[in-house]
Amino acid sequence: MAQSNADVPRRDPQASLRRLPSVDQVLRGEAAHLAVQRFGRPAVTDAVRSALALAREEVQAGAGLATTQELAWRATQMLEAAERPSLRPLFNLTGTVLHTNLGRAVLAQAAIEAATLAMRDAVALEFDLASGKRGERDDHLRALVCELTGAEDATVVNNNAAAVLLVLNSLAAGKEAIVSRGELIEIGGAFRMPDIMTRAGTKLVEVGTTNRTHPRDYADAIGEDTGLLLKVHTSNYRIEGFTREVTAAELAGIARQKGVPLVNDLGSGTLADLAAFGLAHEPTVREAVNEGADIVTFSGDKLLGGPQAGFVVGRRELIGRINCNPMKRALRVDKIRLAALEATLKLYRDPQRLAERLPTLRLLSRPQEEIAAQAARLAPKLAAFAGPAFDAVVADCRSQIGSGALPLATIASAGVAVSPRDGSGSALAELSARLRALPMPVIGRIERGTLILDLRCLEDEDRFSANLSGADA
Ligand SMILES: *Cc1c(COP(=O)(O)O)cnc(C)c1O
């Protein structure tokens, strides 16, 4: 980069420093002029100052002088780097389709378009176009959610954690909520069921033991102070062996008999029967409603495949109480997400074309042979990228749904396994870093000294290849 200037004796850095261009000189050049048009004068001035500061350090370390043009070019590079969005799009080759750290569900085209329209114009968010009077935010989704779940009424909030918090606070503040000890889940981060219950103002009453809970445990615990029975789908783990879980249907019977509401937190909850798409069965929201839960909660960006949201569906009277809670206002969703949710939900009306249109389902149901063929095409390109110190071979692997859905049910997949010939862990870490540094970062997973790039979620193969060869941005 910095070329040595033959006129200046290398041994006198002080003399060289004085010959570096000034900020003004750099700004007067053609390259800086173009940068000012793109980024504005104040930003370019700052960047040129930074570039000069670096150049000064280099000179003191014995390097040659940077020219005016080089300094402008470096300043432009800094500005371009700062311009890149912090939320960088990337290739999720981790094999976890709904990766919470990578943003969970990728939205359907229809949802993207609906969200864009809602962003661009004013919309009848809380306005009834027929009567010209004030409308309700929930009106946009209520009928659709009820149609797809069989519930009487529905509302939607920021996410499922918010849905659970709101339901507990609305129906059982100052009262007891009864939960099986085997269902006191933690879902990463700070979402621990006992903590949420405390914050919701409810008193947790644990029943049963870690591995076994019986119907009579619930029945015996119900008293005057009981606000509700809570069933939590143990979405991110399974208790196996000598176990007894009280089913939602059994619980519904107990709840009805005792006159307390049953809340079922499904977590992922799906609107379609995944078995129809070759996947393991995950309880559907309709099933949970049919089993007799008074309230069912579930996420918008897990198996449902939409934007982040939390759904609360169930009995009209209870939803009415939930909607009266002032917390609802603090947890509501905006017009952009409502638009994306509506468009996503509408796709479920046509189950035949659902897997084609909804990325989450499309990715989850991609046949292994198709992925393996893609891996065979890409392995040589990845081998070239990795260099001679690595082997890159097609490998069978297993994908996960992610976000806690069906933790034990993995899906046969394929990818490229890249391993350092000398088994060096630092070489592997370096390769992972090079993949992350690509214009569109590539994220895989490391398993026993090998980098696995599971191709289940790779749809745009051309873009991937161009990106590898540095041709994409
Ligand atoms: C994921 C999950 C939640 C939290 O849902 P978010 O939409 O991530 O807030 C709550 N309960 C269960 C059972 C879950 O699986």
Side-chain angles (χ1 to χ4, degrees):
M1 277 193 240
Q3 285 162 356
S4 64
N5 187 326
D7 296 345
V8 180
R10 270 187 168 267
R11 295 194 185 284
D12 186 0
Q14 289 314 313
S16 292
L17 277 182
R18 283 193 294 276
R19 299 185 50 151
L20 268 175
S22 68
V23 173
D24 273 345
Q25 278 171 321
V26 178
L27 286 175
R28 262 182 272 150
E30 175 66 16
H33 184 68
L34 290 174
V36 167
Q37 286 181 343
R38 281 175 69 189
F39 303 104
R41 181 163 289 273
V44 175
T45 309
D46 281 351
V48 168
R49 279 208 185 94
S50 306
L52 269 167
L54 275 177
R56 248 178 249 120
E57 282 173 25
E58 283 169 8
V59 168
Q60 269 157 347
L65 277 182
T67 65
T68 307
Q69 206 168 3
E70 273 167 3
L71 288 162
W73 180 76
R74 288 192 204 175
T76 305
Q77 293 249 301
M78 287 180 199
L79 291 163
E80 277 172 355
E83 190 88 330
R84 273 207 306 251
S86 169
L87 269 177
R88 294 267 294 285
L90 50 79
F91 288 105
N92 170 13
L93 306 190
T94 61
T96 300
V97 177
L98 297 167
H99 200 301
T100 298
N101 303 142
L102 303 182
R104 289 195 184 160
V106 168
L107 295 203
Q109 189 55 33
I112 295 166
E113 282 163 18
T116 308
L117 288 179
M119 281 192 269
R120 191 166 288 143
D121 286 306
V123 293
L125 179 60
E126 294 181 350
F127 183 77
D128 181 31
L129 285 170
S131 68
K133 298 210 170 81
R134 193 176 188 287
E136 245 193 87
R137 202 172 279 248
D138 277 342
D139 287 347
H140 302 285
L141 293 183
R142 180 179 284 118
L144 190 52
V145 176
C146 292
E147 167 196 324
L148 295 170
T149 62
E152 259 177 37
D153 201 354
T155 183
V156 61
V157 288
N158 181 57
N159 58 9
N160 188 35
V164 174
L165 179 72
L166 180 65
V167 168
L168 290 171
N169 183 262
S170 306
L171 306 183
K175 292 186 164 179
E176 295 172 352
I178 302 177
V179 195
S180 160
R181 207 160 257 143
E183 295 176 5
L184 288 172
I185 57 166
E186 170 182 316
I187 306 164
F191 189 86
R192 284 181 157 190
M193 204 41 98
D195 299 340
I196 293 285
M197 296 178 105
T198 308
R199 292 295 170 139
T202 60
K203 184 163 173 283
L204 166 63
V205 175
E206 296 174 47
V207 296
T209 60
T210 307
N211 57 329
R212 286 170 72 84
T213 305
H214 302 272
R216 64 163 189 279
D217 293 327
Y218 287 95
D220 291 350
I222 296 175
E224 294 218 320
D225 292 334
T226 305
L228 54 83
L229 301 187
L230 176 64
K231 176 144 190 75
V232 185
H233 184 49
T234 55
S235 45
N236 52 5
Y237 65 97
R238 288 279 180 275
I239 296 177
E240 292 188 337
F242 185 55
T243 61
R244 171 71 162 97
E245 180 191 339
V246 184
T247 64
E250 285 175 295
L251 266 184
I254 299 168
R256 189 135 314 136
Q257 197 191 352
K258 302 274 188 178
V260 292
L262 169 64
V263 175
N264 189 348
D265 174 21
L266 274 187
S268 199
T270 167
L271 298 177
D273 181 6
L274 296 187
F277 300 93
L279 299 160
H281 181 79
E282 171 86 4
T284 67
V285 178
R286 186 180 287 280
E287 280 164 12
V289 169
N290 283 343
E291 282 162 357
D294 299 290
I295 291 288
V296 179
T297 63
F298 54 100
S299 287
D301 56 352
K302 292 186 180 174
L303 280 170
L304 196 144
Q308 180 186 298
F311 288 90
V312 183
V313 306
R315 280 185 25 223
R316 187 166 297 122
E317 182 257 329
L318 298 177
I319 299 283
R321 277 165 64 191
I322 290 163
N323 281 331
C324 289
N325 188 333
M327 261 193 198
K328 170 81 191 293
R329 172 67 171 73
L331 302 173
R332 74 185 186 187
V333 291
D334 64 295
K335 63 171 182 172
I336 305 167
R337 277 196 282 161
L338 274 179
L341 281 171
E342 181 189 2
T344 305
L345 290 171
K346 280 187 174 157
L347 299 179
Y348 281 87
R349 284 178 163 163
D350 185 355
Q352 231 70 59
R353 282 191 289 175
L354 186 61
E356 181 192 316
R357 293 162 151 188
L358 192 72
T360 299
L361 212 48
R362 186 168 70 227
L363 296 173
L364 285 172
S365 58
R366 261 186 95 192
Q368 204 232 6
E369 314 83 75
E370 183 190 310
I371 306 172
Q374 190 176 39
R377 288 190 297 273
L378 289 176
K381 296 182 181 176
L382 281 159
F385 177 85
F390 292 88
D391 284 318
V393 295
V394 176
D396 287 347
C397 58
R398 305 208 54 100
S399 311
Q400 292 197 338
I401 294 181
S403 286
L406 300 165
L408 304 183
T410 55
I411 316 163
S413 185
V416 178
V418 194
S419 43
R421 295 222 161 116
D422 66 358
S424 144
S426 59
L428 200 61
E430 242 169 71
L431 176 68
S432 303
R434 276 176 62 209
L435 285 164
R436 288 198 308 275
L438 284 167
M440 184 145 161
V442 174
I443 316 291
R445 70 169 187 274
I446 289 179
E447 231 171 58
R448 280 176 259 110
T450 298
L451 177 68
I452 311 277
L453 300 170
D454 183 330
L455 300 184
R456 173 166 298 281
C457 295
L458 179 59
E459 293 205 296
D460 194 343
E461 192 177 322
D462 290 343
R463 183 162 193 202
F464 182 80
S465 299
N467 181 56
L468 265 193
S469 56
D472 200 342

